[in-house]
Amino acid sequence: MAKIMSELLRDSIERRGSDIHITVNRPVQIRVDGEIFDLDDEVLTSENVDSLADEILDERTKNIFIEEGEADFAYSFGDIARLRCNVYRESGRTAIALRVLPYAVPSTSFCNTPEVVIDAVHARQGLVLVTGPTGHGKSTTLAALINDLNNTEKKHIITLEDPVEYLHQQKMCTIHQREIGIDSKSFSTGLRAALRQDPDVILVGEMRDIETISIAITAAETGHLVLATLHTNSASMTIDRIIDAFPAEQQDQIRIQLSNVLNCVVCQCLVPTVEGRRTAAYEVLVPTTAVRNLIRENKTFQINSMIQMGHRFGMQTLDDHLYELCKKKTITYETAMAFANDAKALENKMNGL
């Protein structure tokens, strides 16, 4: 193969690639603003792909790859880029998926993060949930929120990530970034240990299991600010996902705990703009007294209506934001309809434009 990994990365970054896919018997492919393109015409052989994998696998990750058939890790490639890497087996051959991470930590203004979400992160304690599909900017939003704290407050922040993506510089905050599999065995063990490390803020890369969810809620109850992610597409679904993770006999207690500690839920997705880029569309739930009562009383099906009526509190549905983006001509009507949670209702609203 003519190109080594550094050249491949430079070419991908020049074309604004966010992800790189390396597969045997295909050219290198990159994702640009949500769509996948061939980087060039050169078809990769098995030897090509193995050689590229060897450039980024160290002894530890190579052993994981050999034993488990996949390895997930972060890798800094000089001054070119930091990568979130997944090397895996596909039909008995090596394949690689790379996410390109900027060295510069994004700002909340760059992410267009709603002000009410920023305010929620400056609270003394509670639970802030950032949710959405895979690859739609949750890690970037969390990094921007941590960066905002780092620029404005003196706090001790512990992050638990798999793998560590954005690298934060020590500014006003003291930040310890722990990688699952290297610095801690799991999210749950790392989170339990974090409670004994004098944190003000704990970031949990993903709440994957009941134990992690339970400890995160307890941490938020006991005076810590906890930021975490889930793979859900709406605020009401997020609440249901957390509660449904527990056995039926525990759910009433979890509803009470969650209603008390919740600071904010932000659900996001990246949508293509008319300029050929992508921008974030947000749904935001702010736990007013009425919302907390709905959670306690197991009436989460009414949360969407509460969001629609809660504009004065900073709440908005995803469809509300899509409508505003379309109204400003940031996105097309077709894009808004494609990403809408309730396409029929949004279509009726669009008719008034």
Side-chain angles (χ1 to χ4, degrees):
M1 181 181 177
K3 291 180 181 176
I4 59 175
M5 184 66 81
S6 59
E7 296 175 62
L8 186 155
L9 290 175
R10 291 186 193 279
D11 289 349
S12 301
I13 292 169
E14 285 178 5
R15 293 179 58 177
R16 297 189 296 108
S18 62
D19 297 83
I20 305 168
H21 295 275
I22 301 171
T23 310
V24 175
N25 293 333
R26 298 207 63 171
V28 174
Q29 295 182 304
I30 61 172
R31 186 182 294 276
V32 180
D33 296 319
E35 296 189 27
I36 292 181
F37 304 92
D38 289 347
L39 183 63
D40 51 35
D41 297 328
E42 183 180 359
V43 176
L44 302 180
T45 65
S46 182
E47 291 76 15
N48 295 152
V49 178
D50 287 340
S51 176
L52 289 169
D54 285 339
E55 288 193 54
I56 56 176
L57 287 167
D58 59 21
E59 185 176 353
R60 184 189 72 87
T61 51
K62 182 174 286 189
N63 288 335
I64 293 173
F65 172 54
I66 292 171
E67 292 175 10
E68 301 182 10
E70 58 207 1
D72 195 29
F73 57 98
Y75 188 89
S76 293
F77 217 96
D79 61 349
I80 304 172
R82 182 168 168 80
L83 305 172
R84 188 176 74 188
C85 312
N86 190 283
V87 180
Y88 58 100
R89 290 286 182 190
E90 181 265 332
S91 300
R93 298 168 301 194
T94 304
I96 307 170
L98 306 173
R99 169 68 54 83
V100 180
L101 304 170
Y103 276 115
V105 179
S107 65
T108 51
S109 59
F110 173 82
C111 296
N112 295 318
T113 309
E115 283 297 324
V116 69
V117 179
I118 299 172
D119 291 342
V121 172
H122 286 273
R124 187 176 61 85
Q125 67 182 75
L127 180 64
V128 176
L129 299 172
V130 179
T131 76
T134 299
H136 280 256
K138 297 188 297 298
S139 297
T140 301
T141 295
L142 285 172
L145 292 170
I146 293 295
N147 190 43
D148 191 75
L149 283 172
N150 197 15
N151 286 324
T152 57
E153 298 194 31
K154 292 183 178 180
K155 292 190 173 183
H156 180 205
I157 301 174
I158 295 175
T159 75
L160 302 168
E161 304 172 70
D162 185 19
V164 171
E165 297 188 12
Y166 291 93
L167 296 176
H168 293 275
Q169 302 298 315
Q170 308 287 337
K171 298 178 184 176
M172 291 187 68
C173 290
T174 297
I175 303 178
H176 292 115
Q177 295 184 257
R178 307 190 68 206
E179 184 164 319
I180 303 304
I182 296 178
D183 303 313
S184 186
K185 182 180 178 181
S186 66
F187 281 111
S188 57
T189 56
L191 184 51
R192 185 180 289 106
L195 297 177
R196 300 188 293 271
Q197 293 159 5
D198 187 36
D200 298 295
V201 180
I202 306 171
L203 184 150
V204 184
E206 187 178 342
M207 296 203 299
R208 294 177 177 172
D209 53 64
I210 183 173
E211 187 177 11
T212 303
I213 296 171
S214 180
I215 301 170
I217 291 174
T218 299
E221 282 184 312
T222 55
H224 305 88
L225 181 71
V226 180
L227 285 68
T229 71
L230 283 170
H231 296 293
T232 49
N233 297 328
S234 70
S236 59
M237 187 186 298
T238 300
I239 303 301
D240 288 337
R241 177 71 59 82
I242 291 174
I243 294 169
D244 290 344
F246 291 84
E249 63 271 15
Q250 295 182 32
Q251 290 183 1
D252 286 343
Q253 179 60 35
I254 293 301
R255 287 190 189 97
I256 293 171
Q257 289 179 278
L258 185 59
S259 69
N260 290 333
V261 303
L262 193 64
N263 279 13
C264 180
V265 180
V266 54
C267 306
Q268 66 180 71
C269 63
L270 295 177
V271 298
T273 68
V274 295
E275 297 177 345
R277 301 292 183 99
R278 288 198 296 175
T279 190
Y282 297 103
E283 176 167 293
V284 181
L285 170 66
V286 177
T288 60
T289 300
V291 169
R292 296 185 194 279
N293 286 335
L294 290 179
I295 296 172
R296 279 193 289 267
E297 296 168 7
N298 195 21
K299 296 180 179 178
T300 53
F301 60 90
Q302 295 182 17
I303 284 179
N304 197 57
S305 297
M306 198 66 67
I307 296 174
Q308 291 173 341
M309 297 184 296
H311 289 285
R312 68 184 184 278
F313 301 110
M315 290 192 256
Q316 65 182 19
T317 66
L318 177 67
D319 294 356
D320 286 339
H321 197 191
L322 290 171
Y323 173 81
E324 292 300 324
L325 291 172
C326 189
K327 186 177 178 180
K328 295 175 183 176
K329 295 182 168 43
T330 303
I331 65 173
T332 65
Y333 170 87
E334 290 75 18
T335 295
M337 298 304 296
F339 284 86
N341 283 332
D342 187 343
K344 186 63 179 177
L346 182 58
E347 181 182 17
N348 293 335
K349 189 174 182 179
M350 290 287 194
N351 289 334
L353 283 179

